[in-house]
């Protein structure tokens, strides 16, 4: 039986998060489920919201969105799971039935407000709750929830709800189209996504995998994951390190993006996982045009990618646990959210 109230971690302002007592969610229609979060990995974005690098209006709003947990209650139309099942909760809210969802474009569900997600109420203007809470409501349970195979840990499952899947999709389709090609991953502020991309590129049979960054810790991690490392501090006119058919920009730095685009080979593909600025000068459009490269920038279609990543993890080809660096109890999330470590996981007691 769910209590009437619960604890929820809220973003208040940069550097300040607080636990608040709030009303617990309830089943409001037959398609919903209530999930108790058991493991919540810190998205790269969470760090920069919490420390103020990415500006957000002052809260409060619920925080945390990479969620694995256990189903505690379901509506009478839910068939995908039952109470007691352990599940991944995709961070984006998606209905599963609109045109975009049916096409696999689950980051653009048209039956909810644009950019709807857990832990990011300011993006959509709708408060969906957050992973760092006693319970969350899953509004489209049959479309959203994915059972966790017994062989996978809860922290791994939580990472797959967003960042691990994000890293995977940046290289999976390019390598499907061009098997065995070399890959350059431009690392930086999207720190775990870049490392998940390294791991996926190696697992999916890339030729040589190169990883550039200015941070020694991430460079060491990338090398351990199988990449050849390039210690680089990104600057506007820095020389490239060659031309690569497949490039990933995980720098979230304008100069990093320019380096990534200039490093993309003729007819190659560069995928950006974040926007390094609301607007940017000096994008090398002329050379991009002459080389005929494809540049894609998008949020991950989380629900559409999860099962592919789960399969790779179950097969042992992907080991998201090797990117997770620190395990922390839920109760300490307020104090350590701004720790610069690469990938934190918060675990319920």
């Amino acid at each position: 039986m769910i209590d009437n109230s619960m604890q929820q971690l809220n973003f208040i302002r940069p550097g300040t998060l607080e636990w608040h007592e709030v009303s617990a969610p309830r089943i409001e229609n037959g398609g919903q489920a209530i999930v108790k979060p058991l493991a919540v990995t810190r998205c790269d974005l969470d760090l920069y919201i919490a420390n103020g690098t990415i500006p957000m209006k002052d809260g409060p709003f619920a925080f945390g969105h990479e969620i694995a947990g256990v189903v505690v209650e379901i509506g009478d139309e839910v068939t995908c799971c039952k109470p007691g099942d352990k599940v991944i909760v995709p961070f984006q809210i998606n209905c599963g039935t609109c045109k975009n969802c049916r096409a696999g474009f689950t980051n653009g569900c048209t039956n909810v407000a644009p950019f709807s997600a857990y832990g990011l109420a300011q993006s959509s203007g709708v408060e969906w709750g957050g992973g760092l809470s006693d319970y969350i409501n899953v509004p489209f349970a049959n479309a959203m929830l994915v059972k966790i195979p017994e062989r996978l840990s809860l922290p791994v499952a939580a990472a797959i709800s967003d960042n691990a899947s994000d890293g995977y999709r940046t290289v999976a389709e390019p390598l499907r189209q061009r098997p065995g090609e070399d890959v350059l991953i431009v690392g930086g502020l999207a720190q775990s996504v870049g490392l998940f991309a390294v791991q996926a590129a190696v697992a999916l049979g890339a030729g040589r995998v190169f990883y550039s960054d200015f941070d020694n810790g991430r460079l060491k991690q990338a090398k351990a994951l199988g990449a050849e490392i390039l210690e680089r501090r990104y600057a506007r006119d820095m020389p490239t390190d060659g031309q690569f058919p497949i490039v990933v920009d995980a720098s979230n730095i304008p100069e990093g993006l320019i380096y990534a685009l200039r490093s993309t080979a003729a007819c190659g593909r560069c995928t950006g996982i974040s926007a390094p600025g609301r607007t940017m000068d000096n994008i090398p459009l002329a050379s991009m045009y002459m080389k005929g490269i494809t540049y894609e920038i998008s949020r991950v279609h989380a629900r559409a990618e999860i099962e592919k990543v789960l399969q790779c993890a179950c097969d042992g080809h992907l080991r998201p646990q090797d990117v997770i660096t620190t395990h922390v109890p839920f109760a300490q999330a307020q104090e350590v959210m701004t720790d610069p470590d690469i990938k934190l996981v918060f675990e319920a007691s």
Side-chain angles (χ1 to χ4, degrees), residues 33 36 104 136 140 151 153 168 180 210 217 221 239 279 297 324 344:
K36 180 176 180 60
I136 57 170
F140 306 103
R151 70 191 74 178
S153 70
Y168 175 91
F210 294 84
Q221 190 87 335
T279 60
I297 181 167
I324 296 170
L344 308 182

Side-chain angles (χ1 to χ4, degrees), residues 215-231:
D215 179 84
N216 288 332
R218 294 193 294 264
L219 287 164
K220 181 179 179 180
Q221 190 87 335
K223 185 175 182 179
L225 294 172
E228 300 178 47
I229 62 171
L230 302 167
E231 186 174 355

Side-chain angles (χ1 to χ4, degrees), residues 49-209:
I49 293 174
N51 68 17
T53 300
I54 294 177
M56 285 277 184
K57 295 178 183 177
D58 287 353
F61 60 87
F63 212 63
H65 63 263
E66 294 193 350
I67 306 165
V70 61
V71 177
V72 296
E73 189 177 342
I74 59 173
D76 56 16
E77 298 171 13
V78 176
T79 58
C80 68
C81 59
K82 62 184 184 302
D85 286 344
K86 291 179 180 178
V87 292
I88 293 175
V89 184
F91 80 101
Q92 295 155 339
I93 311 298
N94 64 278
C95 71
T97 58
C98 73
K99 183 177 180 180
N100 277 355
C101 285
R102 286 185 282 109
F105 304 142
T106 54
N107 79 9
C109 177
T110 59
N111 278 327
V112 294
F115 319 124
S116 286
Y118 294 107
L120 296 164
Q122 293 215 11
S123 296
S124 66
V126 179
E127 177 59 89
W128 295 97
L132 289 162
S133 59
D134 291 337
Y135 303 100
I136 57 170
N137 182 300
V138 182
F140 306 103
N142 286 331
M144 293 177 61
L145 294 179
V146 181
K147 288 185 183 179
I148 301 171
E150 288 187 6
R151 70 191 74 178
L152 291 189
S153 70
L154 287 165
V156 164
I160 290 173
S161 72
D162 182 3
N163 283 176
S165 293
D166 201 359
Y168 175 91
R169 62 97 185 182
T170 63
V171 296
E173 181 59 20
L175 283 169
R176 187 190 69 80
Q177 295 178 1
R178 303 178 67 166
E181 292 280 22
D182 292 347
V183 175
L184 169 66
I185 293 153
V186 181
L189 300 186
Q191 47 187 7
S192 78
V193 178
L195 292 170
F196 284 128
V198 167
Q199 197 175 63
V202 172
L204 295 171
R208 299 171 71 185
V209 179

